[in-house]
Amino acid sequence: MTTIPCWALFHSKSKHRFEIWKITRTGNSFKVKEAAATNGDLISNSSQVQGFTYNVAHKCYYIAFNDYLFKIDAKGNLVNYYHFNNAKREVEGLASYKSKIYIAMNKRAEVFDSNMAK
């Protein structure tokens, strides 16, 4: 039987953190386990999450809000963040494959890729 993992993101407003949950499906059964949690809300203006992905090659998560992209390690610690304020555009979605992250931007729909360093 094939085991299929996926990740879910939940914002706990009362705990002021983002929780990352690993959901594993084997056949018709599911296992759910908290994989990581951030130490804070990451952003203070109540922006909605506009992208979330897990990078298998670097074992890290990326969470996007408007024109911010946060890199979170496997334990939930903030590694780095990026701000696209000069571009005057927002992230509309994220994906990753191997060592690359793909970022979909609004206005003139474009997808950028980047080799992300550990």
Side-chain angles (χ1 to χ4, degrees):
M1 225 178 257
T2 305
T3 300
I4 303 168
C6 67
W7 287 262
L9 182 67
F10 171 74
H11 181 243
S12 177
K13 192 172 182 178
S14 64
K15 294 180 182 176
H16 298 284
R17 68 183 195 171
F18 282 89
E19 298 171 358
I20 300 166
W21 292 83
K22 184 176 182 180
I23 304 167
T24 306
R25 176 182 171 203
T26 304
N28 290 329
S29 66
F30 293 87
K31 286 184 183 178
V32 179
K33 180 182 178 184
E34 185 176 298
T38 65
N39 187 18
D41 291 312
L42 298 179
I43 199 155
S44 62
N45 64 2
S46 300
S47 291
Q48 299 294 313
V49 171
Q50 291 179 277
F52 171 68
T53 191
Y54 175 69
N55 184 274
V56 176
H58 298 300
K59 294 180 176 60
C60 64
Y61 307 93
Y62 293 94
I63 305 172
F65 306 85
N66 296 329
D67 53 353
Y68 283 91
L69 178 64
F70 293 87
K71 183 178 181 180
I72 309 296
D73 72 12
K75 294 180 181 179
N77 301 309
L78 177 64
V79 174
N80 206 345
Y81 74 93
Y82 313 90
H83 188 201
F84 303 104
N85 60 337
N86 293 332
K88 307 261 190 264
R89 298 172 73 185
E90 296 179 4
V91 174
E92 293 295 331
L94 295 175
S96 67
Y97 180 70
K98 296 187 179 178
S99 65
K100 287 193 174 193
I101 184 168
Y102 297 88
I103 305 169
M105 303 294 285
N106 74 342
K107 299 179 187 174
R108 295 185 339 260
E110 295 177 305
V111 176
F112 299 103
D113 72 347
S114 174
N115 287 321
M116 303 302 284
K118 278 191 172 184

